[in-house]
Amino acid sequence: MATAVLVAGLSPGMTNAADERESSTPERPTLATRSGPVVGTREGRSEAVNVFRGVRYAASTEGHRFERAVDPRPWTKPLDANGFGNDCPQRPSGDVPVFSSWANPQPMSEDCLFLNVWTRGLRDGKKRPIMVWLHGGGYVTGSGSSHGYDGARLAERGDVVVVTLNHRLNGFGYSYLSGLSDDPKYADAGNLGSLDIVKALEWVRDHADAIGGDAQNVTIFGESGGAAKVSTLMAMEGARGLFHRAIAQSGSMSLAGFSPRLATPLAKDLMKSARVTTVEELAALPMDAFITAMMESRSKGAFFRPVVDGRSLTRHPFTPDAPPISRDVPLLVGTNNTEMRLQGGLGSPENFSLSWEQLPSKLGELVEPSQVQKVIDGMRRVHPDYDASEVFFQVATFRNYRGTALRQAERKSASGGATTYMYRMDWKTPVEGGRLKSPHALEIAFVFDNVARSTSYTGPETDATKHMADIMADAWIAFARTGNPQTSALPDWPAYDVSSRTTMVFDLQPQAVKDPDGGERELLQELLPDGRSF
């Protein structure tokens, strides 16, 4: 789409007459960025939300692969900010029918470092909380342009500023090359995607007044891979002071990053798949050829994450403990109750009708062989009403999501710093005949108050879906505003600690529950001690 690139601004050494066209609609809102002015739209139910899409926060990385992002070249004439920027290069992710309401793909390009802003005020002197969303898709796919992440309703509802963004992914953003090249410009290649987010947060800090926000009250929040990015930023010295609250939704996977010992062979294998012998050749490979090489490599274009390189990331994010540099940052962390009914169910529908005879081999993919029968026996004891499929999905959910969320909450609460709050989302979606129950990513529709944009996943907009949006969006807004998610619509929500393990269970009638499914937790924490950590 043409609008995806018109707002780009100018990369060093590039000019484009279309990019420099002057807006002819003075009634549209104008945002004066430090690089130049951009012109957006007004949206929301009251048309009082100023929206700027595809705002450049850094120059194009095309021709500068594996290098740190730099500031964009300034412009003078107002640029159109009505279309999302390019998606960052990534492998095809396939169609997931329940996500169809959210789909909003943009052209792919290495010129992709853009962000999007929703705000009710521009330079009006108000100090609104700023909520910066980090998209899901692990460290390998996704973008900030999904319809599910539209920030208009959240900005209007809570008078907050909402920001979404794109950053480099997969091998473009997380190829550790320090052992393969002595060129200092590649020294940070293992963490460029996270460093892009830091640069976007610097843009937010520098433009907080312009977008009607408070540079001293920034919340980073994300789901799945976005939550993993939140966890990583909490351990990055370069991100210190750029955010003040953190929310990790269904993605506490980055308790540990890759070590150079693991990351270097992956980079070597990528070079082998690309049929190149030097980093310079890999950097010069055409974008599509690079994506093909990733998919043919051992990583399959999917096995990337931040690297503890001793530079931008000097320790594992939450292993063996919570990072001291974010000790004073409150954390809201949680999961959905049946996360893996999405990936482990829709991706393998036979898992919805497992027999007890089939279960051991299925659990063998998740549990050490010597522990499989202990897991089955233990789960049947604490959940006597479960069938074999329910045991499989709950063990998979704990293995991939719940276990690391608990570890993160435990380690953060034990740090003695800012408070930690734990939630679980139990509302069940009616789509797919109800068999998904409370699957991965479902809460996004409610957090953003976007149920009308999420009908493929939440079903038709109803009083029930609107109620879930009311209670969850307001809790997230309250946390962004104060560091405490308590609202008048919720029962008393104490901070999380290992003595009570109080968890807010979100459903039509939310409840604060002490150690929900404690028997399952005790069993699986013992047999699966670190979940997906490395």
Side-chain angles (χ1 to χ4, degrees):
M1 297 181 185
T3 54
V5 294
L6 285 179
V7 73
L10 302 177
S11 304
M14 296 177 62
T15 59
N16 187 321
D19 277 352
E20 293 191 348
R21 69 181 185 182
E22 191 165 3
S23 170
S24 59
T25 53
E27 70 277 7
R28 291 169 57 192
T30 299
L31 172 63
T33 79
R34 294 193 174 193
S35 299
V38 296
V39 181
T41 60
R42 289 192 176 92
E43 300 176 13
R45 286 170 292 184
S46 62
E47 294 196 357
V49 179
N50 304 288
V51 184
F52 303 92
R53 295 181 174 89
V55 179
R56 182 184 292 282
Y57 68 86
S60 173
T61 63
E62 190 172 9
H64 299 275
R65 189 181 298 162
F66 306 137
E67 300 175 32
R68 289 189 70 149
V70 299
D71 291 338
R73 179 178 171 182
W75 62 90
T76 56
K77 294 181 179 180
L79 304 182
D80 182 31
N82 196 29
F84 289 105
N86 300 318
D87 287 348
C88 290
Q90 55 195 270
R91 66 172 191 167
S93 57
D95 293 329
V96 181
V98 295
F99 291 164
S100 62
S101 298
W102 294 343
N104 189 28
Q106 305 299 315
M108 282 196 308
S109 171
E110 289 185 73
D111 183 12
C112 63
L113 301 185
F114 302 97
L115 55 76
N116 316 292
V117 179
W118 291 261
T119 179
R120 290 177 64 177
L122 297 171
R123 291 198 178 279
D124 60 0
K126 291 188 177 181
K127 297 290 186 180
R128 297 173 178 84
I130 302 174
M131 302 179 70
V132 180
W133 174 258
L134 307 180
H135 69 74
Y139 292 96
V140 296
T141 61
S143 79
S145 63
S146 165
H147 290 312
Y149 310 155
D150 186 278
R153 288 181 66 87
L154 196 60
E156 191 166 40
R157 178 186 196 102
D159 197 17
V160 296
V161 180
V162 179
V163 177
T164 69
L165 60 98
N166 293 352
H167 63 86
R168 279 173 285 183
L169 300 162
N170 48 66
F172 292 91
Y174 295 97
S175 288
Y176 181 70
L177 304 173
S178 294
L180 306 179
S181 172
D182 294 328
D183 194 326
K185 70 183 180 182
Y186 301 135
D188 294 305
N191 289 307
L192 290 175
S194 299
L195 289 167
D196 289 346
I197 299 172
V198 170
K199 192 161 187 65
L201 289 171
E202 291 172 341
W203 187 98
V204 169
R205 175 199 62 197
D206 295 343
H207 294 85
D209 288 342
I211 59 178
D214 185 355
Q216 299 304 312
N217 189 4
V218 176
T219 297
I220 54 173
F221 68 131
E223 184 271 342
S224 193
K229 296 160 196 171
V230 166
S231 303
T232 297
L233 288 168
M234 293 180 77
M236 291 182 68
E237 185 65 39
R240 191 174 195 170
L242 294 175
F243 62 92
H244 313 90
R245 326 211 190 285
I247 304 175
Q249 302 168 210
S250 302
S252 303
M253 291 92 76
S254 281
L255 300 188
F258 282 163
S259 67
R261 179 184 60 82
L262 179 61
T264 299
L266 290 172
K268 287 181 177 178
D269 185 68
L270 176 57
M271 292 177 66
K272 180 180 177 182
S273 297
R275 297 172 179 81
V276 299
T277 57
T278 68
V279 170
E280 287 72 20
E281 290 177 296
L282 191 64
L285 206 66
M287 180 186 77
D288 289 343
F290 187 94
I291 293 171
T292 298
M294 282 197 301
M295 295 177 68
E296 292 176 351
S297 72
R298 285 169 50 199
S299 76
K300 305 301 181 187
F303 197 48
F304 293 93
R305 68 167 54 198
V307 182
V308 182
D309 61 358
R311 291 173 55 87
S312 55
L313 187 59
T314 58
R315 58 156 284 164
H316 294 292
F318 274 84
T319 298
D321 56 8
I325 65 169
S326 55
R327 183 176 182 274
D328 296 329
V329 175
L331 174 67
L332 173 59
V333 58
T335 64
N336 299 343
N337 195 16
T338 57
E339 299 270 355
M340 286 298 291
R341 281 181 173 263
L342 177 69
Q343 305 96 314
L346 287 189
S348 302
E350 69 277 6
N351 290 334
F352 286 113
S353 56
L354 292 176
S355 67
W356 291 109
E357 290 73 25
Q358 293 171 313
L359 182 59
S361 63
K362 282 290 183 179
L363 287 182
E365 303 169 8
L366 303 168
V367 182
E368 290 294 328
S370 62
Q371 306 291 352
V372 167
Q373 196 58 47
K374 290 182 181 179
V375 168
I376 294 174
D377 292 344
M379 289 293 286
R380 296 190 77 169
R381 183 177 65 255
V382 299
H383 294 297
D385 55 330
Y386 275 16
D387 61 23
S389 290
E390 287 172 308
V391 169
F392 169 76
F393 286 128
Q394 286 309 103
V395 173
T397 292
F398 195 96
R399 174 72 175 85
N400 288 286
Y401 297 103
R402 190 70 184 166
T404 45
L406 287 165
R407 290 292 183 199
Q408 186 173 26
E410 290 165 358
R411 291 168 184 175
K412 176 65 174 169
S413 64
S415 69
T419 48
T420 302
Y421 295 90
M422 172 69 80
Y423 76 90
R424 194 181 74 191
M425 208 278 288
D426 279 22
W427 184 83
K428 299 177 180 62
T429 177
V431 304
E432 289 287 328
R435 62 180 179 171
L436 298 181
K437 297 189 177 182
S438 309
H440 190 60
L442 181 65
E443 86 288 355
I444 292 172
F446 307 131
V447 167
F448 277 88
D449 189 11
N450 275 337
V451 292
R453 290 176 170 267
S454 308
T455 54
S456 64
Y457 209 8
T458 60
E461 187 176 12
T462 64
D463 289 343
T465 60
K466 288 187 284 189
H467 175 67
M468 289 302 299
D470 287 343
I471 60 175
M472 293 196 77
D474 283 349
W476 263 237
I477 290 166
F479 184 81
R481 194 172 297 282
T482 68
N484 185 331
Q486 185 71 61
T487 70
S488 61
L490 297 174
D492 184 50
W493 188 350
Y496 186 89
D497 61 56
V498 295
S499 63
S500 67
R501 299 184 182 273
T502 303
T503 302
M504 184 60 66
V505 177
F506 281 99
D507 207 334
L508 294 178
Q509 295 294 328
Q511 300 179 65
V513 181
K514 292 184 177 181
D515 198 13
D517 287 335
E520 176 183 306
R521 176 190 58 77
E522 291 177 356
L523 169 73
L524 297 179
Q525 275 193 325
E526 177 186 353
L527 300 179
L528 306 172
D530 284 317
R532 291 176 61 175
S533 299
F534 281 83

